[in-house]
Amino acid sequence: MTLISVIEVPQWRSSGSRTAERLVEGARLLAEMVPGGDRVRVEVAGGSTPAELALTASRVRAARADAQGFPVTLGGDCGVDLEPIAAAVRRYGERLVVLWFDAHGDLNTPDTSPSGAFHGMVLRALTGEGHRELLPQVSLDPRRIVLAGARDLDAAEVAFIEERGVRHLRVEDLAGTDALLDGVSRAGGDEIAVYIHIDLDVLDPGEFASVGSPARGGLRAGQLLGLVEAVAGRFEIAGLGITEYEPNDPADQATLTPLVSALVKTCTQTH
């Protein structure tokens, strides 16, 4: 059986959601949905300045250093995946592709962000642009990003995607698995490792609405799982992050619990 390292990061202050404090409880519940595993809860800094977010990232780094199993990072907002992905880039180098399931691009900078919230800048920071304190040691090549399910993008994000070669697969592109597998393969070839980031607002709010920034026209839960299964069946999975759960409806938790368990099982089945 694969050893799983569950890293719970209840960071919420870098979210732009009005109800972001719910992310603390969301991180706890997500951790409870993962069966078994070695577990650690990271103490987050008390604010949202770049220095405070960098402090939390350093604590995530330390938690990962002590972890022995397949890393599953549970947020909190999307910013919790800053260090896990940076660590994967350091480990895999040009072999790594980041598969970013999200309704939004998270590709803003401090100069372009409408909200100023870091959870909308984290993927851009990983490419080496943004707050100096939050930039990784080794930058992620934008051409090795596959943005899946994004449907609420700012103009500056669209420009970055087009200019820097980010592969953007819209919801309609994901009706089957072929476009996703082709996009991931074109981003890195066949001998690659894939880090999978899931912001739960990639799901359609008609099925799951316990998020801070819902956007209509998203994926269904079963569809998301099928896409992850297809990727895990073909490529090595370097890590998994699940973020942005703001518990608000018991029906949503009933949808999410089996989904999270299945996602973790899928990503660890070949390890």
Side-chain angles (χ1 to χ4, degrees):
M1 178 179 291
T2 301
L3 178 63
I4 301 170
S5 293
V6 177
I7 303 173
E8 176 189 343
V9 192
Q11 177 174 289
W12 64 275
R13 292 183 182 275
S14 63
S15 168
S17 166
R18 294 181 296 102
T19 51
E21 287 186 71
R22 292 176 180 169
L23 292 168
V24 177
E25 178 69 1
R28 184 187 68 81
L29 291 171
L30 283 171
E32 291 180 353
M33 295 174 192
V34 179
D38 180 39
R39 297 166 182 273
V40 61
R41 184 179 190 272
V42 174
E43 180 183 356
V44 301
S48 61
T49 67
E52 289 168 313
L53 296 177
L55 176 59
T56 296
S58 71
R59 291 171 178 169
V60 174
R61 185 181 308 119
R64 284 181 53 86
D66 293 336
Q68 300 299 315
F70 176 86
V72 178
T73 305
L74 303 169
D77 61 61
C78 284
V80 306
D81 244 350
L82 178 68
E83 173 53 31
I85 294 176
V89 175
R90 294 194 298 270
R91 176 179 178 184
Y92 292 95
E94 293 185 356
R95 286 187 58 213
L96 186 77
V97 170
V98 173
L99 175 53
W100 193 271
F101 284 103
D102 201 314
H104 310 89
D106 296 353
L107 286 167
N108 274 301
T109 68
D111 292 332
T112 67
S113 170
S115 68
F118 179 67
H119 78 156
M121 307 181 214
V122 59
L123 189 53
R124 185 70 168 267
L126 284 161
T127 71
E129 299 183 44
H131 293 293
R132 178 179 54 82
E133 300 95 327
L134 296 171
L135 301 185
Q137 295 174 359
V138 182
S139 297
L140 173 66
D141 186 336
R143 294 172 297 180
R144 294 185 175 273
I145 296 170
V146 178
L147 185 62
R151 53 201 183 271
D152 187 3
L153 298 169
D154 299 314
E157 294 178 306
V158 173
F160 182 82
I161 289 167
E162 294 175 349
E163 293 168 6
R164 299 296 298 278
V166 174
R167 298 185 183 278
H168 177 204
L169 299 175
R170 296 165 177 81
V171 172
E172 54 267 31
D173 300 323
L174 300 171
T177 62
D178 289 349
L180 179 60
L181 292 175
D182 182 65
V184 172
S185 182
R186 287 177 180 271
D190 288 326
E191 299 299 321
I192 61 173
V194 181
Y195 188 100
I196 298 177
H197 167 91
I198 299 172
D199 179 333
L200 292 167
D201 68 18
V202 77
L203 297 173
D204 189 87
E207 181 177 21
F208 181 87
S210 290
V211 293
S213 303
R216 288 187 295 179
L219 300 176
R220 311 294 291 185
Q223 183 183 8
L224 173 62
L225 177 59
L227 292 166
V228 172
E229 287 174 340
V231 172
R234 179 166 169 182
F235 304 105
E236 177 183 355
I237 305 301
L240 172 66
I242 304 176
T243 65
E244 300 284 354
Y245 177 35
E246 294 193 11
N248 187 40
D249 185 340
D252 284 342
Q253 185 160 336
T255 296
L256 190 58
T257 299
L259 175 62
V260 169
S261 179
L263 287 167
V264 173
K265 181 179 180 180
T266 295
C267 290
T268 58
Q269 63 187 357
T270 59
H271 290 262

